[in-house]
Amino acid sequence: PDGATLPRTLPSHCRRMRSSASPPHLRRGTSLRSALHSGNVQRVIETLTHDDTLVHTPIMTATGCEPPVIAAIQMGCRASVIAVLLSHGGTATARSRCGASALHTLMLSLKDGEISEIR
């Protein structure tokens, strides 16, 4: 979304944290990262239904490997997508690579006029 290019390979610390490759029955392009990037709630649900461990697997973002809840916030996903991650076991207390909480990451991602809309 912000035009930053992502590296083609995962850094070694992300490869170690990654649990396993996507199940073979998923077609190419159905990773949680691509589902989040699409912003499509149904696609996120389907991806997590195929492999519920993905909600705990760090996702490569422009800033590095992040927990899925943090990655979704950074990608600008709607609240309904975040709710799906949380309902599938995502961690609301997740911390970004720099130590920011999910709420702090959300607040940093909001534009000036959006804060009043939360109330």
Side-chain angles (χ1 to χ4, degrees):
D2 61 7
T5 342
L6 295 175
R8 292 196 175 270
T9 59
L10 292 173
S12 61
H13 64 279
C14 288
R15 286 192 298 267
R16 282 193 304 271
M17 290 189 287
R18 189 174 178 148
S19 58
S20 64
S22 296
H25 58 276
L26 287 177
R27 24 178 234 288
R28 185 163 172 72
T30 57
S31 70
L32 183 55
R33 182 184 179 283
S34 63
L36 292 173
H37 193 0
S38 75
N40 184 310
V41 176
Q42 190 58 40
R43 190 167 166 199
V44 173
I45 292 170
E46 289 170 3
T47 302
L48 292 173
T49 300
H50 285 296
D51 185 355
D52 60 356
T53 65
L54 292 175
V55 78
H56 304 291
T57 305
I59 295 175
M60 183 55 121
T61 69
T63 61
C65 292
E66 300 286 7
V69 171
I70 299 287
I73 293 168
Q74 290 176 346
M75 290 179 190
C77 291
R78 295 178 310 212
S80 55
V81 171
I82 307 296
V84 167
L85 291 173
L86 296 173
S87 70
H88 279 83
T91 310
T93 58
R95 297 278 178 172
S96 70
R97 292 184 66 225
C98 65
S101 69
L103 180 58
H104 186 237
T105 304
L106 175 63
M107 294 307 290
L108 289 173
S109 70
L110 295 175
K111 295 174 183 64
D112 288 337
E114 293 177 320
I115 294 176
S116 61
E117 293 176 22
I118 293 175
R119 296 183 192 150

